[in-house]
Amino acid sequence: MPGPPPVASVGGAAGTPAERVPYRRPVKGGTMPRISKDSAPNVQDAGPAIDRSGDLDDITVSFVTIRQGHSLAQLLRGLPGDSCQCPHWGYLLAGTITVSYADHEETYEAGDAFYMLPGHVPAATADTEFIQFSPRQQLAETLTAIKANAQTLMHTDS
C-alpha cells in the first residue's frame, strides 16, 4: 500500500512547527507548471519598482526590479508591527536588500538566497533584482494593505 503523499514545509521559524503542504506532482504526461520573467501574467509598475508575477499553485513567484532605492516602511503601516507578515524565499540577482526586524537587521547581496521571516520591513537599493516565492494568500493580504497605503500617501502628497 503506498504511503502518504510527499509534503513540503511552509513557514516555521527555527524551533516552531511548520505548516505541511502536500506537494502536487505533475500529471503523468502533463507539463510541469512554470513561469519566467517574460511569461509572468501580472506586471505592476509602481514607479520605483516593477514586479512581474504569477501563481504556481499556492505560491506566487515574483520577478522584481528595483529602479529607485526605497523602503516599504510607509507602505506596511497598519499591518501587525507595521511590518510584512508574509514569509518570502528568494534569490538576489543584483543589488542589496536590507531587512529590518524588531530586534535585528539583515542584509542580502547579489548571489544570496534568502528567507524573510514574517515581521520584516525591506528596503532595497537602486538596480536591485531578485526572484521571490511567497504564499499566495498571505501575499495578497499584504498587497491589499500596501495598495491602500499607497493611495493614502498619494492623496496626502497632492
Side-chain angles (χ1 to χ4, degrees):
M1 180 181 327
V7 294
S9 295
V10 174
T16 64
E19 175 186 347
R20 305 296 281 180
V21 177
Y23 169 75
R24 295 183 183 114
R25 293 179 192 229
V27 177
K28 190 171 184 168
T31 56
M32 184 177 221
R34 64 181 178 169
I35 192 167
S36 70
K37 183 176 180 178
D38 294 331
S39 70
N42 307 309
V43 179
Q44 297 291 319
D45 188 338
I50 187 164
D51 183 344
R52 296 170 177 89
S53 66
D55 296 334
L56 298 178
D57 285 333
D58 293 334
I59 299 296
T60 297
V61 180
S62 301
F63 299 86
V64 181
T65 302
I66 307 295
R67 297 180 184 135
Q68 181 181 343
H70 66 279
S71 168
L72 291 183
Q74 285 187 304
L75 298 175
L76 295 171
R77 287 191 180 144
L79 289 168
D82 290 332
S83 61
C84 181
Q85 299 302 304
C86 180
H88 310 284
W89 294 259
Y91 183 77
L92 196 60
L93 300 164
T96 304
I97 299 174
T98 301
V99 183
S100 299
Y101 293 91
D103 61 349
H104 72 285
E105 195 172 89
E106 297 176 8
T107 299
Y108 306 122
E109 297 177 333
D112 288 344
F114 62 83
Y115 170 53
M116 293 182 202
L117 294 162
H120 64 274
V121 177
T125 60
D127 300 321
T128 293
E129 279 196 75
F130 58 97
I131 303 167
Q132 179 173 276
F133 304 86
S134 311
R136 182 176 43 91
Q137 186 58 43
Q138 286 176 280
L139 182 61
E141 292 166 8
T142 300
L143 291 176
T144 296
I146 286 174
K147 288 175 183 174
N149 283 332
Q151 287 293 322
T152 300
L153 288 171
M154 283 180 18
H155 293 297
T156 304
D157 292 340
S158 315

